Amino acid sequence: MTEASMRFEEGEGFARRMDAEDPLRSFREEFLFPQSPQGEPLVYLAGNSLGLQPRRAQQYVQEEMEDWARLGVEGHFHARRPWLPYHENLTGQTARLVGALPLEVVVMNTLSVNLHLMMVSFYRPTRERFKILIEGGAFPSDQYAVASQARFHGFDPKDAVLKLEPRAGEDTLRTEDILETLERHGSEIALVLLGNVNYLTGQAFDMKALTQAAHARGCRVGFDLAHGAGNLRLSLHDDGPDFAVWCSYKYLNGGPGALGGVFIHERHARAEGLPRFEGWWGNDKAIRFQMGPDFVPLPGAEGWQLSNPPIFQLAALRASMELFDRATMPSLRGKGDRLTGYLEFLLDRLPSGFVRITTPRDVKARGSQLSLRFSKDPRRLLTRLSEAGVCCDFRSPDIIRAAPAPLYNSFQDVYRFVKVLESHARD
Ligand SMILES: *Cc1c(COP(=O)(O)O)cnc(C)c1O
């Protein structure tokens, strides 16, 4: 079904039919759902906070546990999947997920750590060009990261951090306003750092247009894809940002505190002229274990690795990445647009004034998440949802973020969620 032909209907029969016709429906069986007190699987709409556990994750972690027990240090070479090159098991899948060359991606560390490592290389302020452009509504960790980087280089964040704000009375940023800011302040901006999608509003940006505009002004460009990886259809290589970072515990289902991912564009594969922090895992594999004094960086994103990675975390992540690879992002985004469109359709039929959708209506300007603001006793609503076996994310004072994940959510999940909202609205 194409986006233009999306036609929704109100009754539950429609949701059942959509599920029966869904070519991705079998992926739901690959996940473990937390249970409600009544012993039913939760209607889990919080995959944008912490994705569910893939069934295979335990097995994959267990295999590494066994190989550790069986082989000790020899597991580095003789495990079923040797640990020395273990992160390479994820390279192809990660590259396909984000639309990158294998050379451009690596799975390592966690998001905020990687953001700092990227800023070491890509935030190179001078007296004339020292600003960082971010969203006023950027995720707190990103705000702390940019402010501390500015201070680290001797700048006052009040001068160095430039924040984009929506127009008065609007919830999200207009592309034309971002372009205008780049036009006006571009020559002072060293780095443009945007969240895609924004964690709070669910807004997705036109990465290519913004990257080109920022590059034309001589700025470096990075994206925080914490809410983009596994959610949006990404073409990082073609869109051309200098770097991107993401975490793997939200849409990517890598488990709590899962390893993050990094993209560094091919044009920086040899890091010519870029400083970076170095560690032995970024060193040329041929000489890494000679333990010599010289660092010869691996080409591409791998050259930014510092430490040998946690194998159990990589093992758990493999389970989910295999599913993404099988389902493919274009199919997932297609179903995601139908699921989220259906949610929007049902919400629009609730009593007027009860809920306001702050996420853009244009499917190209969002992923799976809808951010909803409720006028009527939002905390009571939250309790009601959890009593009814619905799990979603609440941000004070009145925002619920609902993200049907196309890998494991169903149209019936969406239907049940809105039924609870409806009973609250009519109460
Ligand atoms: C979830 C999230 C983070 C979390 O950072 P960690 O370093 O993984 O704890 C950072 N930035 C954004 C935009 C997020 O959504």
Side-chain angles (χ1 to χ4, degrees):
M1 199 194 295
T2 63
E3 179 198 311
S5 70
M6 278 198 273
R7 289 285 175 271
F8 303 114
E9 296 166 27
E10 282 187 71
E12 190 172 12
F14 175 79
R16 283 215 203 90
R17 217 161 57 239
M18 288 296 281
D19 286 332
E21 290 168 8
D22 170 16
L24 298 175
R25 68 182 175 279
S26 65
F27 285 95
R28 186 178 171 89
E29 307 305 318
E30 302 279 353
F31 288 88
L32 298 168
F33 280 72
Q35 309 275 298
S36 71
Q38 296 77 30
E40 298 283 324
L42 290 188
V43 171
Y44 195 80
L45 300 177
N48 56 342
S49 281
L50 185 74
L52 292 179
Q53 183 180 137
R55 279 184 194 281
R56 293 257 164 81
Q58 289 194 27
Q59 178 198 326
Y60 287 0
V61 174
Q62 187 59 29
E63 284 174 8
E64 302 312 325
M65 283 287 191
E66 287 163 11
D67 284 356
W68 178 28
R70 200 163 56 82
L71 298 165
V73 70
E74 292 298 319
H76 285 304
F77 305 99
H78 300 304
R80 278 164 279 190
R81 290 172 185 273
W83 301 329
L84 276 188
Y86 198 96
H87 71 275
E88 295 170 23
N89 289 307
L90 289 141
T91 303
Q93 295 161 347
T94 302
R96 286 186 286 280
L97 182 88
V98 299
L101 306 173
L103 175 79
E104 293 174 317
V105 296
V106 69
V107 174
M108 64 179 192
N109 312 316
T110 44
L111 196 164
S112 303
V113 172
N114 288 331
L115 184 55
H116 277 294
L117 291 179
M118 291 303 102
M119 283 197 279
V120 165
S121 296
F122 296 104
Y123 175 54
R124 305 295 304 149
T126 62
R127 211 188 298 248
E128 295 74 37
R129 186 190 284 278
F130 60 94
K131 296 190 177 174
I132 307 175
L133 181 67
I134 65 167
E135 301 143 273
F139 192 83
S141 195
D142 300 30
Q143 306 219 29
Y144 310 148
V146 297
S148 60
Q149 286 278 340
R151 278 196 297 273
F152 178 74
H153 287 283
F155 296 98
D156 183 338
K158 281 207 287 298
D159 308 322
V161 180
L162 202 56
K163 296 186 177 178
L164 295 158
E165 300 289 352
R167 294 186 188 185
E170 298 188 6
D171 296 303
T172 50
L173 295 165
R174 295 195 194 189
T175 303
E176 71 218 64
D177 291 351
I178 306 176
L179 293 174
E180 211 253 330
T181 304
L182 287 171
E183 196 60 39
R184 203 142 35 90
H185 299 285
S187 63
E188 304 156 24
I189 297 171
L191 175 67
V192 175
L193 177 70
L194 296 172
N196 213 27
V197 302
N198 178 281
Y199 81 103
L200 195 57
T201 66
Q203 178 177 22
F205 297 107
D206 181 338
M207 294 177 70
K208 189 167 201 161
L210 294 179
T211 298
Q212 285 177 349
H215 278 167
R217 294 253 133 197
C219 322
R220 288 260 155 87
V221 183
F223 283 93
D224 180 334
L225 302 176
H227 287 262
N231 180 22
L232 301 177
R233 247 185 106 163
L234 297 166
S235 316
L236 292 181
H237 177 80
D238 291 341
D239 289 353
D242 297 284
F243 72 87
V245 290
W246 58 91
C247 55
S248 306
Y249 48 83
K250 294 173 179 165
Y251 292 94
L252 291 181
N253 315 307
L259 286 160
V262 170
F263 162 88
I264 297 159
H265 198 277
E266 188 187 21
R267 77 178 78 90
H268 303 298
R270 307 221 165 250
E272 274 144 21
L274 291 181
R276 70 173 143 199
F277 287 171
E278 297 168 357
W280 73 320
W281 228 249
N283 204 358
D284 186 345
K285 290 166 198 178
I287 60 164
R288 188 191 283 156
F289 289 98
Q290 292 169 10
M291 306 293 194
D294 295 325
F295 180 82
V296 181
L298 287 164
E302 280 190 314
W304 270 262
Q305 294 174 106
L306 298 178
S307 300
N308 79 104
I311 300 299
F312 305 139
Q313 286 287 0
L314 287 169
L317 183 56
R318 265 179 53 223
S320 176
M321 292 300 290
E322 284 178 0
L323 299 175
F324 275 94
D325 222 27
R326 255 170 52 207
T328 76
M329 256 345 279
S331 303
L332 286 167
R333 192 63 257 138
K335 175 180 171 186
D337 286 342
R338 292 193 289 281
L339 271 177
T340 300
Y342 176 55
L343 172 58
E344 182 178 37
F345 169 87
L346 293 179
L347 291 169
D348 284 342
R349 274 146 194 84
L350 293 175
S352 83
F354 171 68
V355 56
R356 194 161 68 80
I357 301 174
T358 59
T359 304
R361 295 281 182 164
D362 175 5
V363 294
K364 287 197 279 310
R366 71 185 188 201
S368 285
Q369 169 183 327
L370 289 186
S371 300
L372 313 173
R373 302 193 74 160
F374 291 93
S375 50
K376 185 177 170 186
D377 202 352
R379 287 196 180 270
R380 170 90 189 96
L381 171 59
L382 198 68
T383 312
R384 254 190 144 114
L385 284 164
S386 94
E387 283 166 3
V390 178
C391 178
C392 49
D393 175 276
F394 180 73
R395 298 281 143 153
S396 197
D398 63 353
I399 302 175
I400 283 179
R401 301 183 303 165
L407 202 48
Y408 52 71
N409 280 124
S410 64
F411 288 82
Q412 290 172 85
D413 284 341
V414 170
Y415 180 84
R416 287 190 198 126
F417 169 59
V418 180
K419 276 285 136 187
V420 182
L421 300 183
E422 193 179 344
S423 67
H424 185 70
R426 300 198 187 283
D427 202 16

